[in-house]
Amino acid sequence: SSMEMSGGSISENRTYDVSNDAYGGAIYIADYEFISGVSGTQNAILPHEASFSMTDGTISKNTAVATGGAILSFPQGDREPGYERQTITIETHGGTIFNNTTENGHGGGIAMYYPESHLLISEGSVISENKAPAGDGGGLYLFGVTDAKVTGTIRNNTAQDGAGAYLGALYENGSYRGSQLQLSGNGNIIENDA
């Protein structure tokens, strides 16, 4: 599945709290999900690649009770035997992600999990004034993400740790895999407060 945003705004949304599992205040991108069937049994939708692309516009004033105040990427394909996590891509080409909040989790602006998640924040994109007051990564929270590139600006975000960007290591199959963030060109991570 894919979503393309060309201008416009996504604002003032809030996740519904179900046992503190309320993710992605504005957008939740997953490779598949379990859905309850008529008799209460779980039916799995097979994993597929997913993407979100933003060209200009704003994502603002959204709240997630748990993780990903504005956007959450969470490949889930390995939750059941026989399913593999699929690629999830988030790209911003201009536009602003600002003033989003995760109340009890990580990633006030964007939270991403696992090596199958890929991020590009291009020049002209701004991630600012996002908050993770009880967690890490006010602007970005990356957990085991090995392909993240920033040539845009991450500014004035707040969190307990990693106010601009927090890079966490994933322990999987007996080894650690650290997150990797490439800052290049006119990319800035500035004036954040932890």
Side-chain angles (χ1 to χ4, degrees), residues 90-168:
I90 296 174
E91 295 184 359
T92 65
H93 305 279
T96 305
I97 298 172
F98 76 98
N99 197 19
N100 299 283
T101 303
T102 174
E103 292 178 345
N104 301 315
H106 309 295
I110 299 173
M112 300 182 78
Y113 288 80
Y114 303 122
E116 291 78 13
S117 291
H118 303 274
L119 175 67
L120 173 63
I121 305 294
S122 295
E123 187 171 353
S125 303
V126 178
I127 298 175
S128 67
E129 300 178 36
N130 300 290
K131 303 164 207 67
D136 303 320
L140 295 179
Y141 177 82
L142 306 176
F143 184 79
V145 175
T146 58
D147 181 23
K149 297 176 179 68
V150 175
T151 59
T153 299
I154 300 172
R155 174 188 308 145
N156 295 332
N157 299 284
T158 58
Q160 286 189 347
D161 291 307
Y166 181 93
L167 284 65

Side-chain angles (χ1 to χ4, degrees), residues 3-11 27 52-60 71 90-98 120-127:
M3 177 179 174
E4 293 184 13
M5 178 178 179
S6 298
S9 67
I10 301 173
S11 65
I27 300 167
F52 171 72
S53 176
M54 176 180 180
T55 304
D56 300 322
T58 60
I59 300 175
S60 65
I71 302 171
I90 296 174
E91 295 184 359
T92 65
H93 305 279
T96 305
I97 298 172
F98 76 98
L120 173 63
I121 305 294
S122 295
E123 187 171 353
S125 303
V126 178
I127 298 175

